[in-house]
Amino acid sequence: MYAQMVDTGVKAVQAAADMTADEKAFQARIDADIRVEPKEWMPEAYRRTLIRQISQHAHSEIVGMLPEGNWITRAPTLKRKAILMAKVQDEGGHGLYLYAAAETLGVSRDRMVDDLHAGRAKYSSIFNYPTLTWADIGTIGWLVDGAAIMNQIPLCRCSFGPYARAMVRICKEESFHQRQGYDIMLALARGTPEQKAMAQDALDRWWWPSLMMFGPPDAQSVHSAQSAAWKIKILSNDELRQRFVDQTVPQADYLGLTVPDPELNWDAERGHYDFGPIDWAEFHNVIKGNGPCNRERLRTRVKAWEDGAWVREAAMAHAEKRAVRAAARVAPPAGADGGERTARVDAMA
Ligand SMILES: [Fe+2]
Ligand SMILES: [Fe+2]
């Protein structure tokens, strides 16, 4: 899944005249498409913006496991169950790559998790909607992972090395996710009238929240200009949204489903689909924590973290024990190896 950028607090592009020598050299390297690596000097605002973006992205992957995880036990066939388990597990992996990428900027995993659990950190608003039927699993793969790919492919060229490299691998997996979702939709759309109605109902409920995934309109997006100058954000929210609509409407047509937007219209002159207004009041309400599932999602994450405390403690204790042993280890005297091996064979006999 992907990071839905809300306000990063960086409001305007810094003018060259206001830059220090370090900042000028940094911007020149970005302009020349040279990747920034963790140990190199970077402006504090660049670091903060990236920590915010990458951690939001990581949280989205981890929280995004929940709506689909709900359906693993109810998948209609063994094959669908195996595919869905692999998909949800991939999302967990995406979260881990991204937490690791954010850690290279000097923020700890514990701090990021704490921010999420305390409600200080954001994650993509889409995961605060419920998954009511099996068709929702198809729709999430098709639309939500489809939107993720649209957003993430440009991020493979992002200026920060660890983030860009994580994106390359994540995008490969997202494209499998999108295809598995579309395959579910295809099966339902070609199934019984009830199955097709279920697919249509899921599209009706997920279409608009999927368009909201790209974030507020460019005109209201306060962070975009500086993020674009730093090559943290390559394409604007509105550009990405338009690309998504243009790509997805023909896919809905192929399924024989109707996109729930009476204003949807192919504009031959523009070469794009026109679409109706998005309910931004709903978006801001969900972002603020008032979506249908915000509280449930956070409760589930906090419980999982608390239930897993013993695993983290055991892993830490094991790592400490190994470190102590490694420090205490001295070179064995000649012949000791053979003796040890003999003793082990004796013990097994
Ligand atoms: Fe993902
Ligand atoms: Fe995905």
Side-chain angles (χ1 to χ4, degrees):
M1 308 304 173
Y2 95 109
Q4 182 170 52
M5 291 307 295
V6 189
D7 186 4
T8 56
V10 179
K11 299 211 186 290
V13 183
Q14 195 183 17
D18 299 332
M19 288 184 188
T20 63
D22 279 343
E23 286 167 346
K24 270 188 200 147
F26 178 82
Q27 189 61 51
R29 295 184 60 216
I30 290 201
D31 294 344
D33 282 330
I34 299 170
R35 287 264 161 84
V36 179
E37 296 299 336
K39 292 209 166 104
E40 294 167 1
W41 185 88
M42 60 186 81
E44 204 37 45
Y46 175 87
R47 181 189 304 276
R48 274 202 319 271
T49 303
L50 267 173
I51 288 176
R52 177 105 50 124
Q53 179 165 337
I54 300 173
S55 61
Q56 277 183 16
H57 193 160
H59 299 325
S60 301
E61 301 282 355
I62 299 291
V63 177
M65 297 169 78
L66 301 176
E68 291 177 290
N70 277 343
W71 278 87
I72 289 174
T73 54
R74 291 176 284 170
T77 67
L78 181 61
K79 193 172 149 200
R80 293 284 186 204
K81 187 197 287 267
I83 293 170
L84 183 59
M85 279 174 68
K87 197 263 189 198
V88 172
Q89 209 167 15
D90 282 353
E91 304 300 3
H94 297 174
L96 297 184
Y97 303 151
L98 290 163
Y99 282 128
E103 281 178 303
T104 68
L105 291 159
V107 62
S108 73
R109 179 90 55 104
D110 283 347
R111 170 71 196 273
M112 290 184 273
V113 169
D114 209 46
D115 284 348
L116 174 67
H117 292 175
R120 287 187 295 271
K122 305 283 184 214
Y123 56 86
S124 185
S125 59
I126 195 88
F127 303 118
N128 293 311
Y129 291 86
T131 40
L132 304 179
T133 71
W134 174 249
D136 289 25
I137 302 307
T139 313
I140 289 180
W142 171 34
L143 300 183
V144 177
D145 289 275
I149 296 167
M150 197 60 74
N151 184 66
Q152 287 172 177
I153 283 181
L155 288 175
C156 297
R157 292 184 282 120
C158 145
S159 61
F160 186 57
Y163 193 31
R165 289 190 288 272
M167 275 309 123
V168 172
R169 177 151 181 192
I170 288 175
C171 281
K172 286 182 187 159
E173 293 179 350
E174 297 299 3
S175 99
F176 150 69
H177 298 169
Q178 198 269 351
R179 291 214 302 268
Q180 68 86 35
Y182 196 71
D183 189 61
I184 292 174
M185 296 306 278
L186 207 51
L188 293 173
R190 288 175 177 169
T192 63
E194 289 80 3
Q195 285 173 317
K196 189 165 181 183
M198 194 194 276
Q200 181 63 55
D201 169 64
L203 173 58
D204 290 348
R205 283 180 291 107
W206 290 90
W207 175 254
W208 292 106
S210 298
L211 296 195
M212 293 175 199
M213 280 180 70
F214 296 95
D218 294 349
Q220 293 166 25
S221 193
V222 291
H223 54 78
S224 287
Q226 183 63 70
S227 289
W230 279 332
K231 295 188 185 166
I232 290 174
K233 187 161 179 70
I234 313 281
L235 295 174
S236 79
N237 295 353
D238 287 338
E239 280 173 302
L240 289 165
R241 195 168 7 250
Q242 181 71 62
R243 282 188 181 200
F244 175 76
V245 172
D246 291 347
Q247 176 187 280
T248 311
V249 171
Q251 295 171 349
D253 290 344
Y254 185 76
L255 292 172
L257 300 179
T258 307
V259 172
D261 179 358
E263 294 182 39
L264 191 71
N265 178 50
W266 175 252
D267 183 334
E269 211 169 291
R270 259 184 356 110
H272 292 292
Y273 282 94
D274 297 329
F275 52 94
I278 294 171
D279 181 358
W280 291 111
E282 175 182 325
F283 169 78
H284 289 295
N285 197 40
V286 176
I287 285 283
K288 264 188 227 142
N290 302 320
C293 301
N294 294 59
R295 284 169 195 81
E296 184 189 328
R297 298 288 183 245
L298 270 193
R299 231 184 0 251
T300 309
R301 282 308 317 153
V302 170
K303 184 175 182 313
W305 181 255
E306 286 168 356
D307 289 351
W310 70 272
V311 179
R312 293 191 299 280
E313 282 160 21
M316 289 304 288
H318 181 65
E320 274 161 30
K321 210 152 79 178
R322 282 176 64 111
V324 169
R325 268 197 216 136
R329 195 176 298 141
V330 286
D337 255 329
E340 197 187 303
R341 209 173 296 131
T342 314
R344 227 181 279 144
V345 170
D346 288 348
M348 284 164 70

